[in-house]
Structures are given as structure tokens and as C-alpha cells.
Amino acid sequence: MRGDDVRSAASAADHFLRPLMGRDWSRAVPGLDFTVASVVAHAAAGPLWYAADLVNGPADDAAFDLRVMPGAEPAALLASLRTAAGLCALAVDQLPGTARGYHPAGSADPSGFAAMACDEILVHTYDAGTGLGEEFLPDPGLASRVLARLFPWRQPGPGPWQALLSANGRIDLPGLPRTPNWQWHCAPLAEWDGEIPSWPPAP
């Protein structure tokens, strides 16, 4: 996965959420300890961290405190989301494919960070929509690429977007109850050992 995937995820989120800016973003997201505003802020913070972590390299030795203010107005939150996604996309595209950056789930390469950024944006936009009573339906092709990169043990099933939501513990699918301790595989796919990881990652 590359920077254009991250930009596409952010564009889809913006297209979905912008017409909803007049709604009450202080509403709770069902099943999560987030409001609509705070979950969008969280979705923006992820790609911002990923850009910094990828540029910094595989060691967890930086002293950043990167935050997106959840009390900001919806327009500012969406601007933050687009900007963070753009920075992540730039880092992904500018660094060689062999680069690594720190993540608790594993030493991720640029494609892993791109996929994690997409997953954060898409799934948390779904969360925000749930809080506002609206359904977010992104491009199934993008969802399929994220699923294959981060959850190589999961099959698309009835559809890649539904499978991605299930893999992220959001919905149940027939024969696949949601997994509360789900985890990504963000290191290169060639390093996947065939086991299904869970949180917290093994030491």
C-alpha cells in the first residue's frame, strides 16, 4: 500500500463527514469510550504518529507528544485529518520500501504504516457515522487492500468492508464472532509466521 491509499481514505472520510458537520459531534459512539468529535480526533492522530514513527525509524526513542484536540470544531478536526493523512502519505512515498518504523504491533514498513493509517481513518469514520446515525461505506477495493495487508489470515467473506469491520472488532459475521483482542500484522507480509496475533503482542 502507498500514499495514494492514505489520501483516498482521508478523502472518503472527508466526503462522508463534511455534510454532517452541523450535527451534534458531542454524541457518544455506541460501544466505545469516544464521542463523534474525539473519535475523529483519534483518527487524525494515528496517521500523524505514523508519519513521525516511520521517519524516526525502528527505535521507540523519540520524545513527541502528538495530539489532535478533540474539543475543536468539526471543520478543524477534518482539516487535521486531511493534513495528518497527507503527512503520512508523504513519509510513506518518500522513504524506501525497506524502511522500518516503530509500532507496538511490530516493526512496520511503509506499506504497513499506510495500511494502518487507512484502517484508522476508515474504521473510525465508521464509528463517527454510527454515533451520528449514518452508515459509512468506503470503496471496497481500498478495504480489500487494507484487509489483505494487515489481516492476511482473514478472508473477504461477504464483502471486504464487512470483513475489515469484523477484523477490527466492530461487527459479527456468520461463524466469525468479533475478536476483542484483535491485532494487526504491520511488519512486512513476508515476516508473517502464519499465526493469528492478538493484543498485547507477544514479547
Side-chain angles (χ1 to χ4, degrees), residues 85-128:
L87 289 171
C88 184
L90 286 172
V92 165
D93 287 342
Q94 290 299 315
L95 289 170
T98 55
R100 296 294 188 103
Y102 173 79
H103 190 275
S107 184
D109 62 357
S111 73
F113 277 111
M116 289 190 292
C118 290
D119 198 56
E120 291 275 5
I121 294 168
L122 296 177
V123 173
H124 288 312
T125 298
Y126 166 85
D127 294 333

Side-chain angles (χ1 to χ4, degrees), residues 4-17:
D4 281 347
D5 293 308
V6 183
R7 296 183 188 96
S8 293
S11 177
D14 187 84
H15 181 77
F16 173 73
L17 290 169

Side-chain angles (χ1 to χ4, degrees), residues 28-201:
V29 175
L32 298 176
D33 190 22
F34 282 115
T35 64
V36 173
S38 66
V39 83
V40 174
H42 181 81
L48 189 60
W49 271 107
Y50 299 156
D53 287 336
L54 180 56
V55 170
N56 186 57
D60 183 21
D61 58 1
F64 292 115
D65 182 14
L66 304 176
R67 294 181 295 160
V68 178
M69 296 181 292
E73 292 296 317
L77 291 172
L78 292 182
S80 300
L81 178 61
R82 294 192 308 273
T83 301
L87 289 171
C88 184
L90 286 172
V92 165
D93 287 342
Q94 290 299 315
L95 289 170
T98 55
R100 296 294 188 103
Y102 173 79
H103 190 275
S107 184
D109 62 357
S111 73
F113 277 111
M116 289 190 292
C118 290
D119 198 56
E120 291 275 5
I121 294 168
L122 296 177
V123 173
H124 288 312
T125 298
Y126 166 85
D127 294 333
T130 300
L132 295 171
E134 302 288 345
E135 185 177 13
F136 175 57
L137 295 170
D139 171 34
L142 178 57
S144 180
R145 292 192 294 278
V146 176
L147 184 72
R149 179 59 186 82
L150 295 179
F151 304 96
W153 53 91
R154 294 297 298 260
Q155 298 298 315
W161 175 231
Q162 290 75 20
L164 188 62
L165 289 176
S166 174
N168 279 272
R170 294 309 193 270
I171 63 172
D172 296 318
L173 292 177
L176 287 172
R178 70 188 71 189
T179 304
N181 297 321
W182 62 269
Q183 183 56 279
W184 293 314
H185 176 82
C186 57
L189 283 173
E191 297 178 9
W192 180 46
D193 61 6
E195 299 293 325
I196 299 176
S198 62
W199 186 263

